Amino acid sequence: GIIFHSHTFMLIDANYFDSHKNRWEKLLLIPWELDFKAVRGKKKNTNRMASTLDIESHPCQISFSEQFLVSLKGAQAMWEVFSGTNKKAMELIEKLDHDKDIDNHTKSLRKSRAGFAARSLTTTLPFGVSNRTGLPVSFVTDGDEKFVDNGSTAYFRFPLTAGVGVGGYRLYGQDSKDS
């Protein structure tokens, strides 16, 4: 008889934000189908045990623009900033663990504040336009036009849509009422 039988079916769908078109686009043209089957039991007409693992994958059809690759590089850079900041906060927390002159409550409070400070620093960094074109350029955010001379950088933040509680929501592409 069968000792073990498992069957898992996955249907994966994915979108990406194309900042050039300012809208969400399909990354997978059709959902990607994966089928996993595992069986452990006695083989027919024998007392020998057998394990069978069957994996079936339908074709994965992907479509993306060159802007998608640029966005991946930007996401990687943001992750490096976040993980670097987080690593420094964790190193600070490790130093606190070895400080015998501080009581446990104070250590706990400082650890919490260090982690919060690292996350806050990372999430509040502004966007920037670095001009290396040889000519002055301008851009508009929230009705405010800013000029950037050649060789300089101008920083800005997008306004947040009001949300429940502290902060707000960031809306992109079709989710935004302004698009």
Side-chain angles (χ1 to χ4, degrees), residues 33-172:
E33 296 179 35
L34 294 165
D35 199 9
F36 302 93
K37 294 177 191 169
V39 178
R40 173 87 176 146
K42 288 185 181 180
K43 291 178 84 174
K44 289 182 182 178
N45 304 324
T46 181
N47 285 336
R48 288 185 35 202
M49 298 296 286
S51 298
T52 305
L53 178 62
D54 182 28
I55 301 172
E56 184 179 339
S57 172
H58 292 261
C60 181
Q61 299 179 16
I62 299 174
S63 172
F64 56 87
S65 69
E66 68 279 357
Q67 201 61 33
F68 174 72
L69 298 175
V70 172
S71 297
L72 285 179
K73 181 63 179 166
Q76 177 196 9
M78 287 188 289
W79 177 253
E80 287 175 3
V81 168
F82 173 77
S83 59
T85 305
N86 209 31
K87 181 180 177 190
K88 287 181 182 177
M90 292 303 121
E91 288 170 359
L92 176 64
I93 290 169
E94 286 295 319
K95 287 180 184 175
L96 287 174
D97 278 342
H98 301 298
D99 192 345
K100 295 180 181 12
D101 296 332
I102 301 175
D103 64 275
N104 285 338
H105 177 72
T106 304
K107 282 183 187 179
S108 175
L109 187 61
R110 286 185 179 175
K111 285 180 186 180
S112 175
R113 286 182 178 166
F116 180 74
R119 287 185 296 278
S120 295
L121 171 66
T122 303
T123 58
T124 59
L125 292 174
F127 294 94
V129 173
S130 180
N131 183 4
R132 304 289 180 254
T133 64
L135 301 168
V137 298
S138 67
F139 64 95
V140 177
T141 56
D142 198 30
D144 183 27
E145 184 173 18
K146 294 185 180 180
F147 293 91
V148 187
D149 291 326
N150 181 48
S152 63
T153 303
Y155 296 97
F156 64 95
R157 287 186 167 83
F158 291 108
L160 290 172
T161 305
V164 179
V166 178
Y169 298 108
R170 176 81 64 218
L171 301 176
Y172 298 97

